[in-house]
Amino acid sequence: MNKLLIVGTVAFDAIETPFGKTDKILGGAGTYIGLSASHFKLQSAIVSVVGDDFPQEYLDLLTDKNIDISGLEVVKGGKTFFWSGRYHNDLNSRDTLDTQLNVLADFQPKVPQNFKTADVVMLGNLHPLVQSSVLDQMDVKPKLVVLDTMNFWMDCALPELLDVIKRIDVITINDEEARQLSGEYSLVKAAAKIHTMGPEYVVIKKGEHGALLFHDHKIFFAPALPLEEVFDPTGAGDTFAGGFAGYITQSENVSFENMKSAIIYGSNLASFCVEKFGTEKMVDLEKEEVIARLQQFKSLTQFDIEI
Amino acid sequence: MNKLLIVGTVAFDAIETPFGKTDKILGGAGTYIGLSASHFKLQSAIVSVVGDDFPQEYLDLLTDKNIDISGLEVVKGGKTFFWSGRYHNDLNSRDTLDTQLNVLADFQPKVPQNFKTADVVMLGNLHPLVQSSVLDQMDVKPKLVVLDTMNFWMDCALPELLDVIKRIDVITINDEEARQLSGEYSLVKAAAKIHTMGPEYVVIKKGEHGALLFHDHKIFFAPALPLEEVFDPTGAGDTFAGGFAGYITQSENVSFENMKSAIIYGSNLASFCVEKFGTEKMVDLEKEEVIARLQQFKSLTQFDIEI
């Protein structure tokens, strides 16, 4: 089986939405990416760090999903990264209520030996220096490196971000971030400019409005599935990225055509993520549900016009 | 050839966008619908009203597109409806600078005798009583009645709007209007509620984010084509509706499957409309350009996943 190396936070989240609130629950980009990628035939590992306040049951949950956690450092006496946020009524925007970096502040990623030859590397949203450090540790050049990032790093660590962006194949960012990074309002122009920074493939996430894949003057669009109810958007972008990277890893095919299927899978998995609080739905998600929803994506988008 | 009856404003617009501004130019929902529908094999007529300040060249432009204007009343000594607006930098929102109803204030639509048996009726955005009056004049029940409206009528003439909505088959409104009309935030729930008000088909327009077609628990999504530059969004929604109604009229097929193609055509034509000021692009648009862009819509959305 092909190998997927995931780097990203494993954390505690406390979430408030118009539908309720949670205490500290399992969260973090690495967690969502790992759970999402676990729907594919592959070997995966998460490189991350937690404190010894992190419950064994959460670690077990990851290993139960066949995720290798030998690269998940547990810092004795340390506290796990904690994020707390409150969503506005439309669920499209949120306020961060609290961020405690804790053990993440001094995180030095260590890639497990048997994942230094991973086929695909998924660099979740983290300091660009951490992302670079992971690439430095690879023994062979991966077939594909996917990077997720956010506006925070554009504000605080732009040179480092631009350095790591040069080394990757696919970047996934949201529309506002694409505009910020490129200085272009039009997403078509933004993607063209980001191409020149390094990545051959640019994925622009538009939340409930779907995602666009840009490559070499070609564009593909995956809608978000219209849902009766969105319960909690936390982790949707990471779940999307995990589905994308997981599908590519399984299929061993880094063509544009195959990436179309990958972002449909990403959108598919993300549509489940938002239906319950936190990771709740992703933990229980069955293969049959995913397959059935793929059929919905087909019905939603496929048409037949004779040209 | 099948007949399409169009009711909608024929007007003067003055538009400001970040890219420039125009003096009074040809505008109005009926104009955009008519120009868009003229891309299909059909007979069309516009029912509307203008003042005698309306230039002959604009009337000629409509007849050159084979649009019957015998139902376009020219009021002696009257002034044509005038709208002026300024778009914000993101082009997603605009301020109305001036609205002069003029001859529109007393508009009594008169359907030409030979269009009282039209196959399809497209009721452009107007007072709901005007829309109802057109339906009252039909000699036979049309195969399909499509209605466009806006939040203004929900605020000022809701009972009359609800009355005409009961009599139609397809409603096209934007996402915010769908939420206002239904009281539901989720567009899936909003569409379900609007179904119960009458229309079997609900089309929700999301501007640059595409359009959704809802019918009997089925959903189809047509993206907007990602463009390098959007110059002027004026008329895009009407052009979309005109393409939708025009395609249905030509194809004589009111099935859900065929409506998928119709909203792709609508999105296709709307993508041209926004590339130049006002009606400029629509007036010159060639069949070959439309066909080429259909291919782009296919590439943008069609994927192949074995399930």
Side-chain angles (χ1 to χ4, degrees), chain B residues 253-302:
Chain B
N253 178 338
V254 297
S255 70
F256 180 74
E257 281 305 311
N258 195 55
M259 282 194 195
K260 292 181 178 182
S261 301
I263 81 164
I264 292 289
Y265 262 104
S267 289
N268 185 346
L269 288 157
S271 75
F272 288 104
C273 176
V274 302
E275 290 189 326
K276 292 196 178 173
F277 260 125
T279 60
E280 197 181 339
K281 182 70 195 176
M282 296 313 290
V283 166
D284 291 336
L285 185 59
E286 300 286 346
K287 188 174 179 184
E288 293 68 30
E289 296 176 90
V290 179
I291 298 298
R293 201 162 274 191
L294 268 185
Q295 194 57 58
Q296 280 186 266
F297 272 87
K298 279 201 166 182
S299 308
L300 183 66
T301 56
Q302 305 303 286

Side-chain angles (χ1 to χ4, degrees), chain A residues 90 185-186 188-189 206 209 220-221 226-229 261 264 291 298 300-303 305 307, chain B residues 90 185-186 188-189 206 209 219-221 227-229 261 264 291 295 298 300-303 305 307:
Chain A
D90 63 4
Y185 186 80
S186 152
V188 177
K189 287 185 177 177
K206 304 199 297 171
H209 300 302
F220 180 69
F221 176 77
L227 296 169
E228 286 225 359
E229 233 150 38
S261 302
I264 292 289
I291 299 298
K298 279 200 167 185
L300 184 66
T301 56
Q302 306 302 285
F303 62 88
I305 299 181
I307 294 181
Chain B
D90 64 3
Y185 186 81
S186 152
V188 177
K189 287 186 177 176
K206 304 198 297 170
H209 299 303
I219 314 179
F220 180 69
F221 176 76
L227 296 169
E228 286 228 358
E229 232 148 39
S261 301
I264 292 289
I291 298 298
Q295 194 57 58
K298 279 201 166 182
L300 183 66
T301 56
Q302 305 303 286
F303 62 89
I305 299 181
I307 295 180

Side-chain angles (χ1 to χ4, degrees), chain A residues 39-274:
Chain A
H39 283 273
F40 302 94
K41 290 189 193 76
L42 49 78
Q43 283 184 272
S44 70
I46 295 183
V47 171
S48 193
V49 64
V50 292
D52 59 8
D53 57 345
F54 197 72
Q56 185 63 38
E57 68 170 289
Y58 286 169
L59 296 173
D60 293 345
L61 191 154
L62 296 174
T63 48
D64 284 352
K65 297 283 179 186
N66 290 317
I67 302 168
D68 181 321
I69 58 167
S70 60
L72 175 56
E73 188 187 350
V74 181
V75 177
K76 286 246 163 71
K79 289 181 72 181
T80 300
F81 173 55
F82 171 68
W83 174 82
S84 168
R86 182 191 292 136
Y87 288 88
H88 300 170
N89 277 337
D90 63 4
L91 293 176
N92 276 330
S93 52
R94 67 186 185 191
D95 298 321
T96 290
L97 301 176
D98 196 2
T99 305
Q100 298 172 16
L101 281 183
N102 298 331
V103 293
L104 200 65
D106 304 310
F107 177 40
Q108 305 283 344
K110 281 177 214 77
V111 178
Q113 191 57 42
N114 59 336
F115 276 86
K116 289 186 176 174
T117 55
D119 304 275
V120 175
V121 176
M122 174 72 230
L123 301 169
N125 173 39
L126 275 169
H127 195 296
L129 289 180
V130 172
Q131 295 176 318
S132 277
S133 159
V134 168
L135 294 184
D136 293 340
Q137 295 174 52
M138 300 305 288
D139 282 344
V140 294
K141 190 176 154 58
K143 293 196 188 76
L144 199 77
V145 178
V146 185
L147 175 141
D148 189 53
T149 187
M150 69 184 295
N151 50 0
F152 181 77
W153 308 115
M154 297 172 200
D155 295 334
C156 305
L158 186 60
E160 295 88 342
L161 178 62
L162 292 175
D163 276 346
V164 69
I165 285 180
K166 281 183 200 143
R167 305 172 66 185
I168 62 160
D169 304 295
V170 185
I171 187 170
T172 71
I173 46 180
N174 75 29
D175 41 2
E176 283 320 305
E177 290 157 355
R179 287 173 174 138
Q180 180 174 348
L181 186 60
S182 66
E184 295 285 352
Y185 186 80
S186 152
L187 297 181
V188 177
K189 287 185 177 177
K193 208 150 173 184
I194 296 169
H195 280 317
T196 68
M197 298 175 184
E200 268 198 66
Y201 300 87
V202 176
V203 176
I204 299 182
K205 300 174 289 182
K206 304 199 297 171
E208 63 166 326
H209 300 302
L212 288 158
L213 167 65
F214 294 88
H215 170 65
D216 189 23
H217 303 289
K218 294 191 289 251
I219 314 179
F220 180 69
F221 176 77
L225 196 70
L227 296 169
E228 286 225 359
E229 233 150 38
V230 172
F231 207 74
D232 171 17
T234 308
D238 299 312
T239 301
F240 171 84
F244 177 85
Y247 183 80
I248 299 279
T249 308
Q250 171 185 285
S251 58
E252 275 188 280
N253 178 338
V254 298
S255 70
F256 180 75
E257 280 306 310
N258 195 54
M259 282 194 195
K260 292 181 179 182
S261 302
I263 80 165
I264 292 289
Y265 262 103
S267 289
N268 184 347
L269 287 157
S271 75
F272 288 104
C273 177
V274 303

Side-chain angles (χ1 to χ4, degrees), chain B residues 150-169:
Chain B
M150 69 184 295
N151 50 359
F152 181 78
W153 308 116
M154 298 173 198
D155 295 334
C156 306
L158 186 60
E160 295 89 342
L161 179 61
L162 292 175
D163 275 346
V164 69
I165 285 181
K166 280 184 201 142
R167 305 173 65 185
I168 62 161
D169 304 294

Side-chain angles (χ1 to χ4, degrees), chain B residues 1-6 37 40-45 66-68 114-115 118-120 249:
Chain B
M1 283 199 292
N2 295 318
K3 287 181 183 169
L4 170 64
L5 175 64
I6 299 161
F40 301 94
K41 290 190 194 74
L42 49 77
Q43 282 184 274
S44 70
N66 289 317
I67 303 168
D68 182 322
N114 57 337
F115 276 85
D119 303 274
V120 175
T249 307

